[in-house]
Amino acid sequence: MSKIKPSKGAPYARILGVGGYRPVRVVPNEVILETIDSSDEWIRSRSGIETRHWASDEETVAAMSIEASGKAIADAGINADQIGAVVVSTVSHFSQTPAIATEIADKLGTNKAAAFDISAGCAGFGYGLTLAKGMVVEGSAEYVLVIGVERLSDLTDLEDRATAFLFGDGAGAVVVGPSQEPHIGPTVWGSEGDKSGTIKQTVPWDRFHSGDVSTLPLDSKGEIKFPAITQEGQAVFRWAVFEMAKVAQQALDAAGISPDDLDVFIPHQANERIIDSMVKTLKLPEHVTVARDVRTTGNTSAASIPLAMERLLATGEAKSGDTALVIGFGAGLVYAATVVTLP
């Protein structure tokens, strides 16, 4: 017989508040066209993207996270010192250690909250949300701050016609706390590592350390390129369109929700054509509000779902208490989907 005392947490968890931060600089497609042979019409027709935000030197991963988190904490109606854990999902914090979450937790004024980073690409928000739910229910933290943040402009090859127009910067955050009713459904998540090469960093960091510059990519001026994100566009598109709709349906089934019960659909903001295909495959009714933040924010990876959620609530397109299906998918290839009640 075990001598270990069982943990005691809340019966359930829910999202209590949301916040977002978009960098001040707005970058239209015309700027992207200065370095690639394309057109505004082609970019819009292929992705739906019209503009994106790029961060300044002052708009660091930490700074954007703190701005978004402050809004989420205020929206949740709690104080920062009540946060028991900070989970940051990002692929664009370039210091290997320590985790940027520790700096964010300190600057927000948490009381020595547990803090760590995760790397789950565009599914990172869903991964973080699942971890937060577990902590609240298990009892290791009463309130958990989940942040998705990216400066993907730092990892964009502006001469790559396939990806130069895709990525943007920003931060989104939510506070997850206790609930007497279930407001975050079961997570359907997983990975397909056999497809990991379809979205990847062009050059691993240790290639630079080796000193063999002959293996490094060069730009049009003959200078060594900084590592960037590259992808096999058609392969990723097919996977997202055909496989992620299945995952989304599994999340609905796990939550005991039908498409008719939904109020909002918030998919990862990767490409509007993917979003349209998923809506069609899932046979979502016309009354379901669909997030299309990708048009003006681009693909912000881990930040895209909380940023889209925050905008829908701010504009009144969605309201507190709405039932929403969220799904993220990307490099790995990884995915995570769940049904939530909006804060």
Side-chain angles (χ1 to χ4, degrees):
M1 182 175 180
S2 174
K3 298 179 181 179
I4 300 173
K5 182 180 179 180
S7 58
K8 292 182 65 176
Y12 305 102
R14 71 173 298 163
I15 299 173
L16 299 173
V18 61
Y21 180 82
R22 293 171 173 80
V24 174
R25 184 187 178 193
V26 177
V27 179
N29 288 338
E30 285 72 21
V31 171
I32 307 299
L33 296 175
E34 295 173 4
T35 53
I36 62 171
D37 180 17
S38 187
S39 68
D40 176 62
E41 190 278 331
W42 186 90
I43 293 173
R44 293 185 187 224
S45 66
R46 299 289 290 185
S47 68
I49 299 172
E50 303 167 7
T51 61
R52 72 285 291 146
H53 295 256
W54 282 356
S56 66
D57 290 343
E58 292 74 29
E59 292 168 315
T60 63
V61 167
M64 293 191 293
S65 297
I66 290 166
E67 289 289 334
S69 299
K71 295 175 183 177
I73 291 169
D75 192 42
I78 65 170
N79 298 318
D81 61 6
Q82 294 176 267
I83 298 292
V86 177
V87 183
V88 177
S89 179
T90 185
V91 299
S92 47
H93 170 53
F94 293 151
S95 181
Q96 192 70 43
T97 190
I100 194 62
T102 58
E103 177 184 338
I104 294 167
D106 177 64
K107 290 186 175 179
L108 284 172
T110 67
N111 184 20
K112 299 181 180 180
F116 58 95
D117 298 350
I118 60 174
S119 177
C122 304
F125 175 74
Y127 275 49
L129 185 64
T130 303
L131 293 173
K133 173 188 173 184
M135 282 185 267
V136 171
V137 173
E138 187 269 341
S140 58
E142 185 176 12
Y143 299 100
V144 180
L145 178 65
V146 179
I147 303 166
V149 57
E150 303 292 3
R151 275 180 54 117
L152 293 182
S153 58
D154 292 334
L155 286 168
T156 299
D157 180 354
L158 293 178
E159 295 182 346
D160 181 0
R161 187 175 184 272
T163 62
F165 59 90
L166 288 175
F167 302 118
D169 303 336
V174 299
V175 172
V176 178
S179 172
Q180 294 301 309
E181 297 179 335
H183 287 287
I184 302 175
T187 299
V188 176
W189 58 352
S191 65
E192 297 185 32
D194 60 318
K195 301 180 181 65
S196 61
T198 56
I199 306 175
K200 62 182 181 179
Q201 184 172 303
T202 51
V203 182
W205 300 116
D206 60 358
R207 188 81 65 81
F208 282 80
H209 184 64
S210 71
D212 185 2
V213 297
S214 66
T215 64
L216 300 176
L218 304 177
D219 63 19
S220 58
K221 298 178 182 178
E223 299 177 351
I224 295 174
K225 286 184 177 182
F226 190 75
I229 298 174
T230 185
Q231 68 175 22
E232 298 175 14
Q234 287 302 315
V236 173
F237 182 87
R238 287 193 297 270
W239 175 78
V241 166
F242 294 111
E243 298 302 322
M244 290 305 97
K246 297 176 185 177
V247 171
Q249 183 61 57
Q250 290 169 17
L252 289 173
D253 294 341
I257 296 291
S258 75
D260 288 337
D261 297 322
L262 279 180
D263 301 302
V264 184
F265 179 43
I266 311 178
H268 166 47
Q269 301 294 292
N271 182 307
E272 193 164 34
R273 290 170 63 208
I274 294 174
I275 295 172
D276 288 340
S277 294
M278 293 182 72
V279 169
K280 183 177 180 180
T281 302
L282 289 168
K283 299 179 180 179
L284 296 184
E286 289 189 7
H287 75 262
V288 176
T289 298
V290 180
R292 299 184 184 277
D293 196 42
V294 66
R295 294 174 179 172
T296 56
T297 307
N299 180 345
T300 56
S301 188
S304 79
I305 290 175
L307 277 174
M309 182 184 296
E310 185 258 357
R311 174 161 282 174
L312 288 174
L313 290 166
T315 59
E317 295 173 81
K319 63 183 184 300
S320 174
D322 279 352
T323 300
L325 168 64
V326 300
I327 179 170
F329 44 86
L333 293 170
V334 294
Y335 54 86
T338 188
V339 176
V340 304
T341 302
L342 295 183

